[in-house]
Amino acid sequence: MKDRIYLSSPHMGGNEIKYINEAFEENWIAPLGPNVSNFEKEICKYTNASYATALASGTSAIHLALKSLGVKSKDLVFCSSLTFSATANPITYLGATPVFIDSDYESWNMSHIALQKAFDYFLENDKKPKAVVIVNLYGQSADYDKLKKICDKYEVPIIEDAAESLGATYKGKYSGTVGDIGIYSFNGNKIITTSGGGMLVSNIEKYTKKALFWATQSRENERHYEHKEIGYNYRMSNICAGIGRGQLEVIEDRISKKKQIYELYKEGFKDIKEIQMMNICDYGRSNYWLSVMTIDKNSKVKPIDIILALEKENIESRPVWKPMHMQPIFKDYKFFSTLENQSVSEDLFNQGVCLPSDTKNSLSDFKYIIDIIKKLF
Ligand SMILES: *Cc1c(COP(=O)(O)O)cnc(C)c1O
């Protein structure tokens, strides 16, 4: 059997081990140390964010981002519906109530039309959300000018879930720095990895400072252990940060390979009218984390046929994220759709397939994948 082809797996650059060795040599095995503070500085330099706090995961970063904005029990938080559950789960950690917002077909991200509908509905009852969590799906930014205009009008801050989109841009700004607070994930399958980790970035220092405080057990500045608030053990380790530093050195190579993969698929499928690759908007650069396609509803080939045909050849592919408003755990929360009688996110879930986008694979591997899929049509 051929080696398995993955959706997206860790791809080391080479210098990761150097930073890990430095940590070993200086016995910075314990949490924190120079790799953590340097990794934070290097992320700030790369993204032009003013401040950063390295954390244990993207999920913990979202949790502390919400807390930094004062989200508390019974508050409303608007949230993209088409995403991984880690975007929405932390809202419930705080006892707040998520409200799910549909996507548009252009970017697959939060629709300003659905967002406005949600504001209209709640303002009528004198309510507004404490924050809006906007996801940049599969490496592409949402259309922030349109979304920010609405959030600014009602003075509601934005958390940018840039877990999948480090290195992408929106009108010249780096993904994660467009909202009030941005978060990145360095999970194993993301564009770069620390084996597991996350980061919270902002241009407002009080947010990253407060996150750092909570992430280190809310220790007051005393010789003894003094606590006035509940804390968390959410900090990134110095070993993981060493991996991250090596990875950040090769992020531009990874993005250009991911783009090449997307373009190979686009070119490969151009004659099959039932297949459409995810639209890339011209307001910025995508990091092309995953190449994703949709298949027309009336095609005789269904997404599951493609997933099973690839699986037979030991190739991983997956449906698009199942929207949060369709998840059993979130079914009782409100959802606002973009169109009158149709949910865009539901449609993308039903018609979409995430294709292998692993930068370790060769261009001929992708031609092989394209051939397997083409044969079905
Ligand atoms: C991966 C991911 C997260 C969670 O990040 P972890 O580091 O795995 O906790 C959050 N949101 C989105 C959109 C993601 O893809």
Side-chain angles (χ1 to χ4, degrees):
M1 194 131 190
K2 280 200 154 86
D3 283 344
R4 184 158 175 82
I5 294 179
Y6 292 99
L7 221 48
S8 182
S9 71
H11 186 175
M12 295 299 105
N15 280 342
E16 294 83 358
I17 197 74
K18 183 186 98 187
Y19 295 113
I20 293 175
N21 283 338
E22 280 174 18
F24 271 70
E25 280 155 21
E26 292 152 33
N27 204 32
W28 279 113
I29 309 300
L32 304 190
N35 279 335
V36 175
S37 39
N38 283 321
F39 187 38
E40 288 172 344
K41 279 187 204 128
E42 287 154 8
I43 285 281
C44 284
K45 185 155 182 257
Y46 178 69
T47 61
N48 298 318
S50 305
Y51 307 99
T53 297
L55 297 166
S57 63
T59 311
S60 56
I62 296 169
H63 183 186
L64 297 186
L66 291 161
K67 215 170 139 66
S68 299
L69 294 175
V71 173
K72 289 189 191 68
S73 178
K74 307 278 190 319
D75 282 336
L76 293 172
V77 175
F78 291 178
C79 177
S80 301
S81 187
L82 188 61
T83 186
F84 180 43
S85 66
T87 308
N89 283 335
I91 298 170
T92 69
Y93 301 170
L94 293 162
T97 305
V99 172
F100 295 113
I101 313 289
D102 203 8
S103 297
D104 61 41
Y105 283 115
E106 286 74 45
S107 71
W108 294 25
N109 289 310
M110 188 182 281
S111 152
H112 68 283
I113 295 165
L115 178 66
Q116 184 65 57
K117 281 188 192 169
F119 269 107
D120 290 345
Y121 175 89
F122 284 103
L123 284 168
E124 217 160 87
N125 302 300
D126 274 338
K127 284 191 198 155
K128 68 177 191 179
K130 204 69 183 251
V132 179
V133 185
I134 302 173
V135 177
N136 303 320
L137 213 60
Y138 299 126
Q140 168 158 273
S141 279
D143 195 350
Y144 282 94
D145 278 358
K146 290 178 184 152
L147 298 168
K148 252 176 99 82
K149 202 168 145 196
I150 298 170
C151 293
D152 286 351
K153 183 169 155 200
Y154 304 114
E155 298 179 312
V156 178
I158 292 173
I159 295 171
E160 219 187 326
D161 180 349
E164 303 176 359
S165 63
L166 179 62
T169 62
Y170 178 77
K171 301 193 178 172
K173 280 189 176 169
Y174 272 85
S175 193
T177 67
V178 187
D180 296 80
I181 299 180
I183 74 93
Y184 303 119
S185 165
F186 308 112
N187 195 356
N189 60 0
K190 299 286 154 64
I191 187 100
I192 63 167
T193 183
T194 59
S195 84
M199 186 98 63
L200 185 153
V201 296
S202 183
N203 293 329
I204 300 168
E205 192 178 14
K206 69 174 181 204
Y207 296 143
T208 52
K209 259 193 151 157
K210 212 62 224 247
L212 174 63
F213 174 74
W214 288 318
T216 48
Q217 307 286 22
S218 300
R219 278 179 66 181
E220 297 294 333
N221 192 16
E222 300 279 359
R223 191 175 298 278
H224 62 274
Y225 284 79
E226 178 83 5
H227 304 282
K228 296 178 183 164
E229 288 186 66
I230 294 295
Y232 303 86
N233 183 4
Y234 272 178
R235 198 69 162 124
M236 181 182 282
S237 94
N238 196 51
I239 302 293
C240 292
I243 304 175
R245 294 183 71 191
Q247 286 275 276
L248 195 57
E249 291 175 4
V250 295
I251 189 169
E252 288 301 316
D253 296 341
R254 297 294 174 269
I255 293 172
S256 48
K257 179 77 185 273
K258 293 267 190 192
K259 182 174 186 197
Q260 217 178 0
I261 295 167
Y262 173 87
E263 280 165 356
L264 271 180
Y265 283 127
K266 193 158 174 105
E267 177 66 23
F269 296 134
K270 72 174 191 299
D271 298 328
I272 300 178
K273 60 180 191 316
E274 295 112 302
I275 294 181
Q276 233 113 47
M277 293 302 293
M278 177 180 169
N279 181 51
I280 300 297
C281 299
D282 57 15
Y283 50 58
R285 163 174 100 154
S286 176
N287 76 5
Y288 299 89
W289 173 55
L290 291 186
S291 286
V292 191
M293 66 177 191
T294 54
I295 301 165
D296 286 350
K297 272 195 193 71
N298 40 23
S299 169
K300 65 178 197 326
V301 182
K302 302 295 170 199
I304 188 66
D305 300 323
I306 292 177
I307 291 169
L308 293 178
L310 292 174
E311 194 53 53
K312 241 172 109 186
E313 304 296 325
N314 203 19
I315 300 167
E316 184 186 24
S317 64
R318 224 179 273 169
V320 161
W321 298 124
K322 183 176 181 180
M324 292 304 109
H325 73 275
M326 296 171 73
Q327 299 287 352
I329 189 70
F330 292 127
K331 69 176 187 334
D332 295 333
Y333 297 107
K334 281 201 90 57
F335 167 67
F336 291 86
S337 71
T338 307
L339 307 170
E340 209 49 57
N341 305 310
Q342 188 185 359
S343 148
V344 173
S345 53
E346 209 163 322
D347 187 43
L348 293 170
F349 166 62
N350 287 325
Q351 304 310 129
V353 182
C354 298
L355 297 165
S357 312
D358 196 318
T359 50
K360 288 196 306 309
N361 287 112
S362 66
L363 300 184
S364 64
D365 290 330
F366 294 104
K367 293 201 172 108
Y368 170 63
I369 293 164
I370 290 166
D371 282 342
I372 296 170
I373 295 172
K374 273 175 119 170
K375 270 192 209 124
L376 298 172
F377 286 86

